[in-house]
């Protein structure tokens, strides 16, 4: 859970805000949350994230991890911006269900990462785990597989799995 206090940009205004956040534990979508806690004498308050419309709801859901700019407006029209951080939580990306099928169909194939090619044997989980950081970098940079880069959702699954610790789950 994150907390921060906004800096009041207008002299004479007592508008301020803190926030709480919960982590994003999804890989391909966002499920993080930010809740704003405004203070000041000019109620009611309104809130918006990014360029969205202002509303009375101080809770923002389905957020990916990272920084989000949220604005708070009081009844006089004074606006402050809060940079709220949604932490990255551990995802449920599975070696068996999500990553192994990608590796076996795109990487551990003839003339590539299998036994006898002189390259690391990606049919062996322990070898994949040993090379997990390198695999993450290579697929993120679209250098692996060489002839047919992975679609973004498969890259994201591998990155999440490695970031979560490359578990044999």
């Amino acid at each position: 859970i994150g907390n921060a206090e906004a800096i009041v940009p207008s002299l004479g205004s007592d508008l301020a805000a803190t926030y709480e956040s919960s982590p994003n534990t999804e890989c391909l979508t966002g499920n993080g949350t930010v809740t704003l806690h405004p203070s000041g004498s000019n109620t009611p308050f309104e809130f918006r994230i990014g360029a969205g419309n202002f509303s009375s709801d101080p809770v923002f859901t389905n957020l990916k991890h990272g920084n989000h700019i949220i604005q708070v407006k009081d009844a006089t029209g004074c606006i402050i911006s809060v940079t709220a951080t949604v932490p990255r939580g551990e995802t449920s990306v599975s070696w068996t269900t999500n990553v192994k099928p990608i590796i076996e169909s795109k990487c551990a194939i003839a003339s590539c990462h299998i036994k006898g090619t002189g390259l690391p044997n990606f049919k062996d989980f322990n070898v994949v785990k040993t090379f997990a950081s390198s695999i993450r970098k290579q697929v993120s940079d679209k250098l692996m597989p060489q002839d047919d880069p992975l679609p973004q959702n498969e890259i994201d699954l591998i990155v999440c799995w490695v970031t979560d610790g490359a578990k044999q789950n």
Side-chain angles (χ1 to χ4, degrees):
I1 294 183
N3 264 327
E5 187 166 334
I7 298 171
V8 179
S10 172
L11 291 175
S13 173
D14 63 349
L15 179 59
T18 60
Y19 75 93
E20 292 178 278
S21 62
S22 65
N24 174 29
T25 58
E26 293 291 324
C27 182
L28 302 179
T29 60
N31 72 344
T33 302
V34 170
T35 303
L36 270 286
H37 302 288
S39 61
S41 55
N42 296 313
T43 61
F45 303 110
E46 292 185 296
F47 313 88
R48 77 173 175 189
I49 192 165
N53 294 322
F54 279 99
S55 80
S56 61
D57 189 357
V59 179
F60 298 90
T61 59
N62 300 321
L63 301 174
K64 289 195 168 199
H65 67 276
N67 293 329
H68 301 272
I69 306 298
I70 302 174
Q71 293 185 316
V72 181
K73 179 169 71 169
D74 70 13
T76 67
C78 181
I79 297 174
I80 61 170
S81 293
V82 176
T83 301
T85 301
V86 173
R88 183 196 183 283
E90 188 168 318
T91 68
S92 59
V93 175
S94 161
W95 161 252
T96 304
T97 305
N98 305 111
V99 178
K100 184 178 179 183
I102 298 167
I103 297 292
E104 287 188 347
S105 68
K106 305 282 178 84
C107 303
I109 56 174
S111 78
C112 204
H113 287 279
I114 59 172
K115 188 175 181 177
T117 61
L119 296 171
N121 180 9
F122 287 175
K123 292 229 181 234
D124 180 338
F125 170 79
N126 291 319
V127 172
V128 174
K129 182 168 178 70
T130 299
F131 286 92
S133 292
S134 176
I135 292 169
R136 176 177 63 191
K137 173 130 178 60
Q138 295 289 316
V139 299
S140 293
D141 292 345
K142 299 188 186 253
L143 300 173
M144 185 175 96
Q146 289 181 347
D147 296 332
D148 187 20
L150 299 175
Q152 191 61 50
N153 67 317
E154 291 181 356
I155 292 170
D156 292 345
L157 287 169
I158 291 171
V159 167
C160 287
W161 175 75
V162 173
T163 304
D164 287 348
K167 297 176 185 172
Q168 189 172 12
N169 52 359

